[in-house]
Amino acid sequence: MMKKYRVNDMFYSLQGEGYNTGRASVFIRLAGCNLQCPFCDTDFSSYQEMSGDEIVRQALFLKREAKEEGRVIVVLTGGEPTLQVDQTLVAQLQNEGFMVAMESNGTKLAPPNLDWLTVSPKGNVVVEKCDEVKCIFDGERQVNDYGIVARYYYLQPCDMGDTHLNQAIVEQCVDYIKQHPRWRLSLQTHKLAGFK
């Protein structure tokens, strides 16, 4: 029996956060998570069960519709993609020429054949190494990279839904980075520019 993945949404846009900000990407948002973060922007109430072949076909369709000829990134996100994604799906996407990236909370190990792993550490983190760590900064909790070894470390101001509070958090985040220059600022450019 062919494995099915619970897909919440698939769309073509620009990566809005972290190292790959501004790059054209196919997003595969998977349903379900093992955490309940208050700032999560994913609606898990609906999803479609899709096989790996169906996911790849849809990703290729989105790439063709965009008339993209170069190597496009597929971003596996969620929810928590490590609850579903396996080496087989990653390999299927890579075999079609996609660079495969994943955004994870770090509570479960990711498939080792990924091209890029972003960890936004929360909960009981088991990941020890990744390409980038992206911590949500709310000005309240202490910044914690959980000892993860990464090439890049980003702080992302938390969107609290309040313009004045958001501005104060951005200012605190910038001050923190000035005092701790290992960190870089990651803004949610997709929200600032008004695209999905």
Side-chain angles (χ1 to χ4, degrees):
M1 185 174 183
M2 188 175 292
K3 179 173 178 173
K4 296 283 190 172
Y5 303 88
R6 294 182 319 276
V7 178
N8 179 276
D9 195 11
M10 285 184 69
F11 57 95
Y12 185 76
S13 190
L14 301 182
Q15 174 58 281
E17 306 169 356
Y19 180 82
N20 289 305
T21 295
R23 287 192 68 179
S25 304
V26 171
F27 289 86
I28 302 173
R29 189 178 295 277
L30 295 149
C33 189
N34 55 339
L35 301 177
Q36 293 182 345
C37 301
F39 48 80
C40 184
D41 59 2
T42 303
D43 174 13
F44 299 118
S45 61
S46 65
Y47 59 84
Q48 178 181 0
E49 288 192 352
M50 299 175 73
S51 69
D53 291 342
E54 291 169 325
I55 290 171
V56 169
R57 276 196 301 276
Q58 181 65 18
L60 287 168
F61 171 79
L62 291 168
K63 180 181 173 182
R64 277 193 307 276
E65 283 288 297
K67 297 182 176 34
E68 179 58 53
E69 297 176 12
R71 190 168 190 219
V72 172
I73 297 176
V74 164
V75 180
L76 301 165
T77 185
E80 178 48 42
T82 59
L83 298 176
Q84 298 185 62
V85 174
D86 53 18
Q87 292 184 57
T88 302
L89 179 59
V90 173
Q92 283 181 278
L93 290 161
Q94 290 168 331
N95 289 341
E96 293 297 335
F98 290 104
M99 175 185 167
V100 182
M102 178 182 282
E103 297 177 355
S104 171
N105 61 28
T107 59
K108 189 170 183 233
L109 295 177
N113 57 336
L114 288 169
D115 296 301
W116 189 268
L117 177 60
T118 301
V119 174
S120 185
K122 301 168 191 76
N124 295 321
V125 173
V126 299
V127 173
E128 296 177 356
K129 187 176 180 183
C130 66
D131 295 288
E132 70 179 318
V133 168
K134 183 182 67 181
C135 291
I136 305 301
F137 184 91
D138 64 5
E140 306 258 332
R141 291 175 294 218
Q142 184 176 354
V143 174
N144 185 355
D145 64 13
Y146 290 79
I148 300 171
V149 175
R151 294 164 55 191
Y152 305 98
Y153 295 84
Y154 289 93
L155 285 184
Q156 182 168 295
C158 187
D159 181 357
M160 305 298 277
D162 177 292
T163 305
H164 297 295
L165 182 55
N166 285 353
Q167 184 59 42
I169 290 171
V170 169
E171 290 170 9
Q172 291 172 35
C173 187
V174 169
D175 287 343
Y176 185 91
I177 292 169
K178 286 179 179 178
Q179 295 170 30
H180 304 87
R182 173 179 76 152
W183 294 92
R184 297 178 182 192
L185 182 64
S186 174
L187 298 175
Q188 292 180 299
T189 58
H190 55 291
K191 289 184 179 180
L192 296 171
F195 63 88
K196 183 174 181 178

